Each structure stands twice: as C-alpha cells, then as structure tokens.
Amino acid sequence: MESHLHKKGLLMTQKFTPEDLLQYLYKETTPAETEAIEKALAEDWTLREKFEVVKRAAKQLSQLNISPRTEAVLSVLKYANKTLATTDISTN
C-alpha cells in the first residue's frame, strides 16, 4: 500500500495495488488497512471496478479443477521411494 501526502491541505490519499485488493478480499489486511480500503472503495468508483475484476478473477481461479498428470505423480513417488531406499535411517 502506497500512501501519498498532498502538500496543500495535507490531504491523505492512498493508491491500492491489485495485491492490496486481493489481501483485502481474503481478509489478510490489518484493521487499519481494511478501514482505508473500505473508505476508498466507497469513494472511488475506479477502485471499485478494479476490486470487482479481482473478485471475478479469484472466483474463476477457485472454480478451476486442476490436478497433476498421473505420470508426474508417479515420477515423484518413484523418486521418493528411491531416495528413501538409499537413506540410512538407522542414525537417529
């Protein structure tokens, strides 16, 4: 989160990054950050639009059904078994 202090009138404005909005979406912001983001969302329609884009993207990602190929899983298991077989576990 990047804060900017305007010299005239000492008006405080903040520019929020997509990462800030994502942290807010996942409730990973501090209470002060949450308050600042909510205030900015209430006042800035462009920020609200950006937040909607972040929300849609997060929703689409959560709906993806992704899993590794069977060959990749078997390769990892083979490597793990090979490593376990060559590891001396008698030295505890």
Side-chain angles (χ1 to χ4, degrees), residues 23-39:
Q23 287 179 323
Y24 170 74
L25 178 65
Y26 287 114
K27 299 182 183 344
E28 296 175 352
T29 51
T30 66
E33 290 169 336
T34 298
E35 183 180 342
I37 290 171
E38 287 174 351
K39 184 174 189 264

Side-chain angles (χ1 to χ4, degrees), residues 19-88:
E19 291 79 13
D20 295 329
L21 296 175
L22 194 58
Q23 287 179 323
Y24 170 74
L25 178 65
Y26 287 114
K27 299 182 183 344
E28 296 175 352
T29 51
T30 66
E33 290 169 336
T34 298
E35 183 180 342
I37 290 171
E38 287 174 351
K39 184 174 189 264
L41 287 170
E43 297 172 355
D44 185 350
W45 69 270
T46 57
L47 186 63
R48 280 194 306 274
E49 289 294 318
K50 290 177 184 177
F51 183 60
E52 288 302 317
V53 169
V54 168
K55 279 183 13 182
R56 281 193 303 272
K59 183 178 179 184
Q60 289 173 343
L61 284 174
S62 70
Q63 293 173 345
L64 288 177
N65 186 9
I66 301 175
S67 59
R69 293 189 331 246
T70 302
E71 297 83 18
V73 173
L74 292 175
S75 179
V76 169
L77 291 173
K78 182 178 176 182
Y79 177 78
N81 284 330
K82 181 179 172 184
T83 303
L84 184 61
T86 60
T87 304
D88 183 13

